[in-house]
Amino acid sequence: MAFCFEAVTSLSRCLRFTTSLPRLQVSHARSIQSEPAELPLSPPSTSESMYNFVVVGGGSGGLALASNLSRKYGKGQVAVVEPSDEHFYQPLWTLVGGGQKKKEQSRKLMKDVMPGACDWIKDKAVKFDPENNSLTTAEGKTVQYNYLVVAMGMQLNFDKLKGLVEALEHDPQVCCNYSYHTVDKTFQAMQNFKSGNAIFTFPNTPVKCAGAPQKIMYLAEEYFRENDKRDGANVMYFSPLGAIFSAPKYAAVMNRICKERGIQVNLKHNLVEIKPDTREAVFANLNTDPNELITVPYAMLHVPPPMGPPDILKASPLAGPSGFLSVSKDTGQHTKYPNVFGIGDCTDFPTSKTAAAIAGQSGILLKTINAVVSGLTPYAKYNGYTSCPLVTGRRSCVLAEFDYTLEPLETFPVDQSVERRTAYHMKADLLPTMYWNGLIKGIWHGPGMFRKLLHLGFSK
Ligand code: FAD
């Protein structure tokens, strides 16, 4: 069968890579002189260090690649530049906001998840100099590399929405699942809610997990129903986009669910200001005139902040026109610097930004990096696989999986657009385990192989 052939071919390629010499052949890489295996293994001084591989960011994508690369190339070859003491499993925050999980379950200490064979440079990258294969950290260290992996995630720009910071600080009814520090306000706001407008918004920027702004709405609506608050609640969704979800198959289901559950969907409406003093949300009506503002009172307001690429990435030669890391959508290799690679939310892969996408990207990235290190042309091709478990209640979920074409790429041989309890348990109980023990350890590269098996080799 096709998948068996693929597995044997990729295994033989891997075996070839493990024995091949890692040499980079690129004209711009002026400072690369020797075989990476002969490089100094530890920093020669406190202000300067040199590694074969440097990974910027110890989040989902950074750790997935750092684990793999350090396993393959050995101790001291890989450094991870990461300032944070903590690592978060962000997909759990939907369920924390919904009151099903505790936020502490989403957090581990960075020292406990950092791969043992990596050197952790506990500092922030502040400047990239890809012409000289180096970066500078906030403490003024220069870190040189042969190969760079950028995995810095998205920057949350709370201050770019008028009134949001103030509202999150002072109004208990304004909440946000997008940060560990604000996520526990969401369930409290649901509990405090008595009656009125419960408003859920979508930002007018790129977003990580584009389903998260509406998942929490379904959990809240169910909570109101089960706690005798639904009659007085007007549940409203506002999005600047023209559709409730990008992939049409799942958009149709979500529209139907909203209709059946009496949720008012307002597309092409952009939240421009929050007035916590008077508990009002101000929207620009993109359907007619963006200057036409509509003011809606709220009794609960969930707001994902504006998001974008990290400022230092945007200001660097590594950024593409959107400000995100410019990579080949097939291989994850940088479009200008062949020894630079990217994974996850900070890249311009034209797919939905999720941890599931990172799983799919990680397998491709490893093949790409191994090919480049071996002086070969990258051959692996990412299909844009991404997934969004659209939680619709405490016992139900629509497991959306799709690719660059926005066509379904479903793992299981059933119609996944049907709400299922099994999909909910997968999201709540199985995926966290797969994340901590598989994805960030670099051993889970997405469900592609299972999909082919379960579809008897006939899936894409
Ligand atoms: P991150 O995991 O955010 O890591 C980035 C890392 O880079 C951080 O550790 C940060 O400290 C570090 N960093 C930043 N700047 C610098 C710098 N200058 N120097 C060095 N390091 C730096 N995905 C799903 O698959 N399914 C879901 O159901 C789902 N639900 C979600 C719900 C919510 C509420 C949220 C917020 C996200 C959800 N996601 C979901 C998305 C998923 O969590 C992200 O797509 C994924 O974690 C991104 O991984 P990353 O490695 O790109 O970035």
Side-chain angles (χ1 to χ4, degrees):
M1 273 186 287
F3 67 86
C4 289
F5 175 75
E6 255 180 50
V8 171
T9 316
S10 67
L11 180 64
S12 68
R13 280 191 188 119
C14 284
L15 289 173
R16 198 148 47 86
F17 288 141
T18 35
T19 52
S20 62
L21 287 174
R23 179 188 287 279
L24 180 71
Q25 293 162 340
V26 284
S27 54
H28 81 278
R30 293 198 290 272
S31 67
I32 298 171
Q33 298 128 358
S34 60
E35 295 295 344
E38 293 160 14
L39 292 169
L41 297 185
S42 54
S45 76
T46 50
S47 63
E48 210 169 283
S49 53
M50 170 82 202
Y51 288 90
N52 203 354
F53 298 92
V54 171
V55 177
V56 179
S60 319
L63 289 191
L65 279 205
S67 298
N68 258 294
L69 292 171
S70 59
R71 234 183 347 260
K72 184 173 165 77
Y73 291 97
K75 197 165 168 54
Q77 296 290 322
V78 183
V80 179
V81 182
E82 166 61 65
S84 176
D85 281 319
E86 296 159 318
H87 177 106
F88 300 105
Y89 176 53
Q90 301 167 41
L92 205 72
W93 292 345
T94 293
L95 303 183
V96 176
Q100 294 104 303
K101 299 275 180 184
K102 294 273 164 260
K103 75 171 182 177
E104 291 73 17
Q105 291 173 276
S106 72
R107 182 182 62 167
K108 289 201 179 180
L109 292 178
M110 191 64 77
K111 71 177 175 55
D112 294 335
V113 291
M114 187 62 66
C118 291
D119 283 2
W120 175 13
I121 300 175
K122 193 175 173 315
D123 203 350
K124 190 175 173 183
V126 291
K127 190 164 182 247
F128 291 106
D129 182 3
E131 295 292 338
N132 292 303
N133 302 305
S134 75
L135 61 87
T136 312
T137 69
E139 288 174 11
K141 286 184 193 145
T142 301
V143 184
Q144 290 202 293
Y145 56 81
N146 281 336
Y147 307 98
L148 175 70
V149 178
V150 185
M152 301 164 70
M154 292 273 264
Q155 183 171 295
L156 303 178
N157 298 314
F158 286 92
D159 55 344
K160 288 204 173 149
L161 176 62
K162 199 171 170 195
L164 178 58
V165 173
E166 191 194 347
L168 283 170
E169 273 172 18
H170 302 300
D171 186 348
Q173 290 310 97
V174 177
C175 52
C176 173
N177 280 356
Y178 273 74
S179 140
Y180 188 75
H181 304 292
T182 55
V183 65
D184 38 10
K185 283 189 81 184
T186 307
F187 191 54
Q188 289 163 11
M190 280 185 211
Q191 290 173 305
N192 293 339
F193 178 88
K194 291 190 176 58
S195 65
N197 294 334
I199 298 180
F200 299 82
T201 67
F202 191 97
N204 196 17
T205 61
V207 62
K208 50 179 155 182
C209 193
Q214 63 183 288
K215 295 181 209 181
I216 189 59
M217 171 174 72
Y218 302 121
L219 289 171
E221 193 275 335
E222 182 188 63
Y223 176 85
F224 298 151
R225 240 182 310 131
E226 292 181 353
N227 289 276
D228 296 329
K229 300 182 183 193
R230 185 63 181 97
D231 286 348
N234 187 18
V235 182
M236 308 166 97
Y237 185 65
F238 285 86
S239 166
L241 304 177
I244 195 165
F245 196 71
S246 61
K249 175 176 178 180
Y250 308 107
V253 179
M254 304 330 281
N255 280 327
R256 178 183 48 74
I257 291 172
C258 287
K259 206 168 168 191
E260 285 170 3
R261 291 168 61 170
I263 295 171
Q264 190 192 108
V265 177
N266 303 286
L267 299 176
K268 298 226 166 193
H269 280 74
N270 180 32
L271 178 65
V272 292
E273 185 178 356
I274 303 165
K275 297 180 176 171
D277 292 343
T278 50
R279 289 212 162 139
E280 289 174 314
V282 183
F283 296 91
N285 184 351
L286 309 182
N287 279 306
T288 51
D289 174 5
N291 295 319
E292 181 196 324
L293 301 180
I294 302 165
T295 300
V296 188
Y298 65 81
M300 171 180 173
L301 176 63
H302 178 266
V303 187
M307 300 171 216
D311 287 341
I312 70 135
L313 177 59
K314 205 162 132 187
S316 82
L318 297 174
S322 63
F324 288 99
L325 187 83
S326 176
V327 294
S328 149
K329 75 192 245 295
D330 294 334
T331 64
Q333 186 177 29
H334 194 271
T335 50
K336 181 170 174 203
Y337 301 100
N339 61 332
V340 177
F341 310 89
I343 188 165
D345 293 357
C346 70
T347 63
D348 66 1
F349 278 119
T351 194
S352 185
K353 295 179 188 299
T354 63
I358 286 173
Q361 291 160 15
S362 67
I364 302 296
L365 250 295
L366 288 166
K367 289 179 184 161
T368 297
I369 293 172
N370 286 334
V372 173
V373 165
S374 307
L376 303 172
T377 305
Y379 62 91
K381 206 168 169 185
Y382 176 49
N383 57 10
Y385 172 81
T386 189
S387 166
C388 186
L390 289 157
V391 174
T392 54
R394 284 189 294 123
R395 299 164 212 88
S396 57
C397 177
V398 167
L399 184 53
E401 294 185 287
F402 50 99
D403 60 13
Y404 280 140
T405 65
L406 303 179
E407 287 298 319
L409 196 57
E410 299 183 345
T411 302
F412 300 100
V414 293
D415 180 0
Q416 289 182 199
S417 68
V418 174
E419 290 175 275
R420 290 177 200 277
R421 193 174 184 138
T422 44
Y424 176 82
H425 285 299
M426 197 168 154
K427 156 85 184 161
D429 306 319
L430 184 61
L431 290 178
T433 306
M434 286 167 70
Y435 181 85
W436 295 117
N437 301 305
L439 183 78
I440 60 168
K441 298 223 156 104
I443 51 180
W444 171 246
H445 304 303
M449 188 66 106
F450 293 102
R451 188 174 60 244
K452 285 187 174 157
L453 266 171
L454 292 169
H455 290 84
L456 305 174
F458 290 107
S459 164
K460 278 200 268 179

